[in-house]
Amino acid sequence: MDLWIWIVIGVVVILAISFISTYNGLVRARNQVKNAWAQIDVQLKRRYDLVPNLVETVKGYARHERETFEMVTKARNLAQQLTSAGAGERGRVESELSSALGRLLAVAENYPELKANQNFLALQEELTSTENKISFARQYYNDAVLRLNNRTQEFPSNIVASMTGFKAAEYFETTLEAERQAPRVSF
Amino acid sequence: MWEQIRANQIRSAFVMIFMGLLLIAVGFVIGLYFLGTAAGGIVIALIVWGILNLVALFQGDNILLSLGKARKVNKEEFPRLYNIVEEMTIASGLPRMPDVYIIDDPAPNAFATGRKPEKAAIAVTSGLLQKLNRDELQGVVAHELGHIKNRDTLLMAIGGILLGTIVLLSYFASRMLFFGGASRGGRRSGGGSGGGGAQLIIIIIGIVLMILAPIAARLLYFALSRKREYLADASAALYTRYPEGLASALEKIAGTPTQLQAANNATAPMYIVNPFRKAGQAASNLSSTHPPISDRVRVLRSMGGASFADYDAAYRNVRGSRGGVVPRGALGLTGDAPVRPPSTETEPVTQTEAARAREVSDALWKTNKYQTVECECGAKLRVPPGTSLSQVKCPRCGTTHPV
C-alpha cells in the first residue's frame, strides 16, 4: 500500500514540474512576442516622425508633385490613427505608407538638385534604415509568433496553454500587393 | 530562442575541457620539476590562470579594443554604419545594441568582443566601410552580431585565457629548465645514486611537454574558432535573409592584399577573416584560425533559403560531410526564411588599386594597337596587331574565340 502512495506522489510531482516548466516556456514565448511587437512599434513611430520632414524637404525642390505629397501625408495620418489596431490591420495600413514613400522617393530621382541636398541625403539614409529596421523587426516578430503559436498548438503544451488562457498571436504581414508596388526604398 | 545554440555545443565544451587538462598537465610537470610536488605546480598554474581571468574580467574588452587600436564612434560620425548595426541588433534580437568602434586601417576587417551581449562591442576598419556596399556591410555586421549572440565572444575569451596561461607557464618553465634548472626540487629529493636513467626519461618527457603544450593549446583554440565561424555565417544569413551579401563581402575582403596592421596572434581568431592570411592562400590546415574563405562563400551561395536548416543543408553539400554545423536544437527554431531581394543602394564608387592598374594596362595595350578579346571566364586575351591567326584559344578555360 505504501508503495502505491509513493508512486502516486511521484507521478503528481513529475506532472507538476512539467506543468510549471511548460507554463514558464509559454510565458517566455509570449513576452518575446510582446517585446518584438514593441520594437516594431518604435520603428513605425520613427517613420511617422520622418515623413513630414521628408515631405517638406522634397517640396522645396519639386513643387509640382502635389498629388504624391498628399498621398504620403494621407497614408501617414491614417497609419498614425490606427496605432492601437491589431497586427494584421496595422500591417495593411503600414504597407500602404511604405508604397507611398517609395513613390515619393522615386519622384525625387527626377530632381538632381534635390539629390545633392545634404539634408535630403541624411533623411534618405534615415528612411532607408527605418524601412530596413521595420522589416527586420517584423522578421523577428513573426519568428517569435511562430514559436508561440507552435507551443499553443503542439501536444502537450497546448493543454497547458488552453488551461491558462494562452492564445495564438497574429502575424505582422504586409499585403502582397503593396509589397510589389513598394520598391525597397531604392535610390 | 537562439540561446539554445550554446547548450548544444558539446564539441566546444570538449575542446575547452581538453585545454583545461593541458593546463593541469603543464602545472603537474612544473610542480614535479621545480617544487618536488605535482600538486603545488597545479595550484600555481590555477593561480596564474585565476589572475589572468580577473584581469580579463575587469578590462578584457578594453584591452582587446585598444590592442586593435579601435576608437568609439557615434551616430553623427558614421550614420550608415551605426544604422546597420542597429538594424542587425533588431534582426538578431540582442537585448542591447553593441558599442561601435572604428579602426583606422585600409585593410577591410571586423571583429566583435564582449563576454555578455549586454556589454558587447563591434569594431570595423575604415577600409571595410570604404569597400563594401550596404548589403555587404550588413552581412559582415550580422556575422559579428552572430558571434555575440552565440556567445562565441565569451567562449573565445575563456579559451584565449587558457591558451595564454599555458603559453606563459611553459615559456617560463622551459627557460628555467634550460638556463637555471639547478634548483629543481625533483633532483634534490630523488637524485641519489640510482634511478638516473628513469629520471632522464622524465626530464625529457617534461621538456617535450613544455614545447608541445603551447602548440597543442593553440591548435585546439584554432579548432574552436573555425567551427564558430561557420555558425556565425549561418546566423548572418538568417538575420539578413540575404546570404549573398556576406558572400560577396568575404570575396572582397579576401581579394584585398593589404594586411591589418594592428592585429596580433592573440586577437587573430576574433576577426571576420584571418588578418594574417596571405593573398591567394586557401589553406585549410590545422594552424588556421578561420575556415578557407572559398568554402565559406560556396556554402553561402548554395543556400536555398536563409534559415539555419538551409545553411546546414548547404554546408553538408559543399563540404561533403554528414555532420552539419548548426546544432540540432536550433534547426527548428525558425520557420521558412525566404531570401530577400538585394538592396538597390548604389555601390561605393571608390576604385581599388587593382582595378585602377587594370584600367591603365588596358589603355596601354590599346595605344599599341593590340586587339582585346574578352573571354567568358573573365580573362582578357591580347592579340597583337597584324596577326595571321583567325581564332585564339583562351589559356584559362580553353574556349576558342574568333579574332
Side-chain angles (χ1 to χ4, degrees), chain A residues 32 39 43 46 125-126 128-130 132-133 136-137 139-140 143 146-147 150-151 184-187, chain B residues 1 75 79-80 83 86-88 90-93 134 138 238-241 333-335 340-341 344:
Chain A
Q32 245 169 19
Q39 192 56 249
Q43 299 309 328
R46 170 128 191 76
E125 164 62 34
E126 273 316 294
T128 312
S129 183
T130 307
N132 286 349
K133 281 169 196 160
F136 286 126
Q139 186 175 295
Y140 186 77
D143 278 346
L146 174 81
R147 276 189 304 278
N150 280 348
R151 287 196 179 183
R184 279 181 40 85
V185 186
S186 43
F187 311 109
Chain B
M1 55 160 169
K75 185 165 181 175
R80 196 172 70 138
N83 272 334
E86 242 173 24
E87 287 164 22
M88 286 302 106
I90 291 170
S92 63
R134 195 180 191 106
Q138 211 173 51
L238 180 69
Y239 299 160
T240 58
R241 305 281 149 109
L333 284 174
T334 52
R340 66 167 171 84
T344 36

Side-chain angles (χ1 to χ4, degrees), chain B residues 1-138:
Chain B
M1 55 160 169
W2 291 317
E3 278 87 344
Q4 285 198 24
I5 290 174
R6 268 185 309 164
N8 284 289
Q9 289 303 300
I10 297 167
R11 210 176 313 201
S12 298
F14 244 26
V15 174
M16 289 300 223
I17 289 168
F18 219 78
M19 283 179 87
L21 288 178
L22 210 56
L23 176 68
I24 289 172
V26 169
F28 187 88
V29 171
I30 288 176
L32 222 54
Y33 275 84
F34 300 107
L35 304 170
T37 110
I42 293 174
V43 168
I44 288 183
L46 290 179
I47 288 174
V48 172
W49 177 67
I51 291 171
L52 284 184
N53 256 314
L54 284 179
V55 171
L57 190 65
F58 285 113
Q59 49 180 334
D61 300 347
N62 295 339
I63 288 179
L64 290 175
L65 288 166
S66 63
L67 273 178
K69 295 197 170 52
R71 78 186 156 87
K72 198 171 171 176
V73 296
N74 56 22
K75 185 165 181 175
E76 280 67 44
E77 277 179 279
F78 292 93
R80 196 172 70 138
L81 172 66
Y82 203 89
N83 272 334
I84 288 174
V85 177
E86 242 173 24
E87 287 164 22
M88 286 302 106
T89 306
I90 291 170
S92 63
L94 280 175
R96 175 188 155 271
M97 178 183 160
D99 294 330
V100 184
Y101 286 78
I102 288 274
I103 304 165
D104 283 313
D105 196 307
N109 224 323
F111 73 82
T113 171
R115 315 192 131 224
K116 283 194 287 185
E118 288 84 4
K119 281 186 173 175
I122 167 172
V124 304
T125 63
S126 50
L128 192 82
L129 289 183
Q130 270 167 24
K131 292 193 175 75
L132 301 189
N133 66 25
R134 195 180 191 106
D135 280 336
E136 291 160 348
L137 198 55
Q138 211 173 51

